[in-house]
Amino acid sequence: MAPLVVMILGGAGAFVTTSMSSTKSLAPVPGFVKLDPNGDECEEHDECSTVNNGIICRVGYSPAGAQLYDKNSAGQCTVPVYRP
């Protein structure tokens, strides 16, 4: 009986963890404009998404706006982001 309870609790825990991580990935992220070619300096603009929907996030969500980026682990604005 105990192994069955452990399996059920383990499955429920895995489901909750998966649900939480997928919700987090859909959260909006700030989009930054590069102020230098390396992305060391940047300025925050519109909210974007990390989910690749094929539409690059741009300032004002305008096709003519500057491309926006998310920061990498080193704090550089080099990670492409997408329109929410």
Side-chain angles (χ1 to χ4, degrees):
M1 186 69 141
L4 180 60
V5 172
V6 170
M7 286 177 34
I8 291 171
L9 289 176
F15 175 73
V16 170
T17 303
T18 303
S19 296
M20 287 173 30
S21 66
S22 62
T23 302
K24 184 177 180 181
S25 67
L26 298 177
V29 295
F32 295 90
V33 171
K34 288 183 185 181
L35 300 179
D36 65 74
N38 295 330
D40 293 323
E41 295 183 41
C42 39
E43 183 176 279
E44 186 174 339
H45 276 271
D46 302 302
E47 285 189 352
C48 300
S49 172
T50 56
V51 177
N52 184 347
N53 61 9
I55 304 170
I56 296 293
C57 195
R58 298 183 175 276
V59 172
Y61 305 120
S62 167
Q67 182 173 349
L68 298 175
Y69 298 88
D70 192 6
K71 292 184 177 183
N72 63 17
S73 60
Q76 297 170 308
C77 301
T78 59
V79 181
V81 288
Y82 304 92
R83 189 167 175 179

